[in-house]
Amino acid sequence: MASLGEPKNTIAILNKYNFVFQKKFGQNFLIDPRVLEKIVLAAGIEKDDLVIEIGPGIGTMTQYLCESARHVVAVEIDRNLIPILTGDTLKDYSNVTVINEDILKLDINRIIKEQNGGRPARVVANLPYYITTPIIMGLFEAHVPLLNVTVMVQKEVANRMQAEPGSKDYGALSLAVQYYAEPYIAANVPQNCFMPRPNVASAVIRLTLHKEPPVSVEDEHFMFALIRAAFNQRRKTLVNALANGVGELVSKEAVTDALGRMGQPATVRGEMFTLADFALLSNILQENK
Ligand code: SAM
């Protein structure tokens, strides 16, 4: 297979079809075979797997995925890419389905039911950066059956997803991601691995879904409302951030009292709180409501 990851092969396809990059779709195609190999390796794809690829572009990574998986479903929003994929770069693969759709509008649960009998699949993608968080959180919150999600994202976003309490990158995104999955940054990827070059550095992150939630929480929505409020005003103490941010749902006294029961100082800030701390705080506040 002549890898499209070789820059000259990508350029040949782009020229053949007079392809014009669409900035609004976050189109930065990978042109480094070593990075492609790293992504596929990090995803841990096995011969029997269904893989869902978000945004195949001209099919560079899709070719690697087709070589490793039983079946690949590639979802691409840009209709100008569809004839390139189906008529050219993927035409020799019988184990791929190309869907021309916006990933945010697609029912992935249904696809996994149809293509994999509902068994968990893997998501692999070089994501369009303008919708990284909605894509990942959309998959998690819809409880799509997945083994892992291995994706290229902005390096800064990968750092936030993997951050631990007390670090400057720690925030609502770290907690939201870590509630559903265990993050692992598999590679840092410089700008020159893409065509055209993005403005920011990138990283490959693998999110391995938890089999059971790591904490037991009565009301997920309430806990995430607390988390958002805590980090909306991250310089404030938790007591003040929550009393201002969650409105009439929690009073200053209730938070102070709950922190006391947890053995936490009244001056603690959200950035020091672990997921288990937020779950406990949420449960105590719910119980006393
Ligand atoms: N996988 C290719 C590669 O690595 O070279 C392309 C990656 S490029 C960063 C992102 C791809 O996602 C583009 O092909 C873009 O058209 C597609 N895309 C953007 N928004 C999308 C959406 N909402 N749904 C599906 N695909 C989308």
Side-chain angles (χ1 to χ4, degrees), residues 19 22 24-31 36 39 53-62 75-78 81 99 101-105 125-131 135 152 194-195:
F19 181 75
Q22 301 250 27
K24 67 170 181 205
F25 289 145
Q27 291 177 340
N28 301 95
F29 296 168
L30 264 168
I31 46 161
L36 288 152
I39 297 173
E53 186 189 9
I54 300 161
I58 58 169
T60 311
M61 190 153 68
T62 327
V75 183
E76 174 56 61
I77 197 169
D78 184 353
L81 288 166
I99 300 178
E101 199 28 294
D102 178 346
I103 188 70
L104 296 177
K105 295 189 180 145
N126 171 16
L127 285 179
Y129 293 170
Y130 72 107
I131 42 170
I135 291 176
M152 180 87 71
F194 301 87
M195 182 184 294

Side-chain angles (χ1 to χ4, degrees), residues 32-274:
D32 188 322
R34 280 166 313 169
V35 174
L36 288 152
E37 281 157 22
K38 266 191 200 164
I39 297 173
V40 174
L41 192 70
I45 300 168
E46 295 181 7
K47 268 286 158 216
D48 198 34
D49 282 340
L50 172 70
V51 172
I52 295 169
E53 186 189 9
I54 300 161
I58 58 169
T60 311
M61 190 153 68
T62 327
Q63 293 183 338
Y64 285 79
L65 299 173
C66 288
E67 298 285 340
S68 337
R70 178 181 54 77
H71 196 79
V72 178
V73 173
V75 183
E76 174 56 61
I77 197 169
D78 184 353
R79 65 184 154 85
N80 293 330
L81 288 166
I82 306 303
I84 304 180
L85 292 164
T86 56
D88 197 332
T89 57
L90 302 179
K91 74 172 184 326
D92 294 336
Y93 294 99
S94 57
N95 62 337
V96 61
T97 308
V98 176
I99 300 178
N100 183 200
E101 199 28 294
D102 178 346
I103 188 70
L104 296 177
K105 295 189 180 145
L106 203 64
D107 181 353
I108 307 196
N109 272 312
R110 182 180 54 79
I111 289 177
I112 294 180
K113 209 176 262 169
E114 286 169 5
Q115 302 275 356
N116 217 33
R119 281 179 298 120
R122 293 178 206 268
V123 168
V124 184
N126 171 16
L127 285 179
Y129 293 170
Y130 72 107
I131 42 170
T132 299
T133 309
I135 291 176
I136 294 176
M137 293 316 298
L139 292 168
F140 288 168
E141 286 166 6
H143 297 285
V144 174
L146 294 173
L147 295 166
N148 60 26
V149 173
T150 307
V151 284
M152 180 87 71
V153 298
Q154 291 182 40
K155 184 169 164 31
E156 178 226 316
V157 174
N159 289 343
R160 279 164 49 205
M161 288 180 178
Q162 205 190 27
E164 309 249 329
S167 80
K168 71 169 179 22
D169 292 325
Y170 187 63
L173 182 65
S174 327
L175 285 152
V177 164
Q178 292 169 28
Y179 179 67
Y180 293 101
E182 187 189 326
Y184 166 71
I185 295 180
N188 286 314
V189 183
Q191 278 110 311
N192 60 9
C193 296
F194 301 87
M195 182 184 294
R197 285 166 58 112
N199 295 328
V200 291
S202 301
V204 177
I205 190 161
R206 180 183 63 214
L207 307 170
T208 305
L209 275 88
H210 298 306
K211 291 208 169 63
E212 300 292 332
V215 293
S216 134
V217 58
E218 300 288 322
D219 181 345
E220 279 175 28
H221 293 290
F222 182 62
M223 179 179 75
F224 282 115
L226 295 178
I227 289 173
R228 275 193 302 276
F231 289 98
N232 270 342
Q233 297 177 294
R234 63 184 291 144
R235 305 310 308 158
K236 293 207 164 150
T237 63
L238 201 51
V239 173
N240 285 331
L242 296 189
N244 297 336
V246 199
E248 66 274 22
L249 283 182
V250 286
S251 68
K252 231 173 181 169
E253 295 68 39
V255 182
T256 310
D257 178 60
L259 291 178
R261 281 177 59 189
M262 292 171 67
Q264 294 278 357
T267 53
V268 72
R269 288 187 182 153
E271 59 200 14
M272 297 313 295
F273 249 44
T274 63

